[in-house]
């Protein structure tokens, strides 16, 4: 199935020419130093926003392991102007996805929406990124999910082996930790 007015993907000359044009990313550096990369792909009528910043496990130690993941998961649970319910309702009504992440080297926030919802989705994306509320009530609602994720992180043999290999290989590095954190830390976190 192709979007209306899409070029024939089996016409190789058209497909190759379109791919070459669309794959070229445009790099823009804003006055505040923020780097913005823009690229276009007309294969589907979707728009994606991604924001990355230095963080993740690089900013964690044994005593606060899991704080980055908790912070990122709490981002989309309310802003200064939107409740968690309002955010969830917008995402449901517009088929928009919003995904926070705390990784090894970075914090990330991604959103994907239909093209016609892009202005409103970007407004929400920016609000979540710039004005999170970090409500104590939302942390208490989220905490059981955070603790369950920690428990599930080593439920199968592959994940258990991965955790053990990280601990052995990265003995003197924050990379030895798992981004989901430690139960004793997450159980006591406050905003």
């Amino acid at each position: 199935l192709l979007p209306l007015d899409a070029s024939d993907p089996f016409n190789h000359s058209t497909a190759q020419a379109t791919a070459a044009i669309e794959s070229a990313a445009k790099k823009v550096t804003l006055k505040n130093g923020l780097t913005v990369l823009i690229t276009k792909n007309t294969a589907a009528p979707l728009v994606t926003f991604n924001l990355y910043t230095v963080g993740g496990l690089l900013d964690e130690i044994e005593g606060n392991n899991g704080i980055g993941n908790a912070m990122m998961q709490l981002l989309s649970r309310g802003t200064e102007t939107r409740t968690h319910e309002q955010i969830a309702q917008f995402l449901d009504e517009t088929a928009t996805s919003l995904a926070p992440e705390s990784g090894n080297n970075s914090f990330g926030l991604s959103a994907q929406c239909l093209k016609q919802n892009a202005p409103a989705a970007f407004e929400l994306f920016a609000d979540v990124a710039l004005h999170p509320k970090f409500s104590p009530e939302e942390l208490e609602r989220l905490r059981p999910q955070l603790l369950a994720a920690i428990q599930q992180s080593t439920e199968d043999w592959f994940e258990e082996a991965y955790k053990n290999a990280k601990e052995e290989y990265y003995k003197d590095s924050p990379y030895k930790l798992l981004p989901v954190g430690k139960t004793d830390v997450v159980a006591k976190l406050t905003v």
Side-chain angles (χ1 to χ4, degrees), residues 6-186:
S7 60
D8 180 358
F10 299 106
N11 179 343
H12 294 293
S13 61
T14 303
Q16 288 172 346
T18 302
I21 292 168
E22 292 177 354
S23 66
K26 180 178 178 184
K27 180 179 177 181
V28 178
T29 303
L30 303 179
K31 289 179 187 177
N32 64 4
L34 180 71
T35 300
V36 179
L37 300 175
I38 303 167
T39 186
K40 184 176 182 178
N41 181 339
T42 58
L46 299 173
V47 176
T48 302
F49 311 107
N50 295 300
L51 173 67
Y52 299 100
T53 184
V54 174
L57 289 179
L58 288 179
D59 291 331
E60 294 188 19
I61 58 173
E62 295 277 343
N64 71 2
N65 181 219
I67 194 169
N69 183 55
M71 176 193 72
M72 292 306 293
Q73 297 305 316
L74 204 51
L75 271 182
S76 64
R77 297 188 68 101
T79 69
E80 297 299 324
T81 59
R82 291 178 171 92
T83 65
H84 178 238
E85 291 75 20
Q86 290 170 322
I87 293 170
Q89 182 177 358
F90 174 84
L91 297 175
D92 287 344
E93 289 175 353
T94 61
T96 299
S97 67
L98 185 64
E101 181 184 1
S102 179
N104 287 335
N105 304 311
S106 63
F107 295 125
L109 183 64
S110 300
Q112 187 174 65
C113 64
L114 296 171
K115 182 177 162 183
Q116 66 265 24
N117 298 327
F122 186 75
E123 185 179 314
L124 173 76
F125 181 81
D127 192 28
V128 166
L130 298 173
H131 308 111
K133 190 170 184 180
F134 296 119
S135 156
E137 296 81 21
E138 286 300 328
L139 175 59
E140 290 314 313
R141 288 186 193 125
L142 179 63
R143 191 182 314 273
Q145 295 171 37
L146 296 171
L147 293 170
I150 294 168
Q151 185 176 5
Q152 292 170 354
S153 69
T154 56
E155 281 188 346
D156 66 48
W157 68 268
F158 179 82
E159 295 299 328
E160 183 72 23
Y162 177 69
K163 175 185 174 280
N164 292 336
K166 282 182 68 150
E167 288 173 351
E168 185 63 30
Y169 187 77
Y170 295 113
K171 286 183 182 191
D172 299 321
S173 167
Y175 292 154
K176 70 182 173 190
L177 306 169
L178 292 177
V180 291
K182 298 194 176 296
T183 301
D184 60 328
V185 172
V186 173

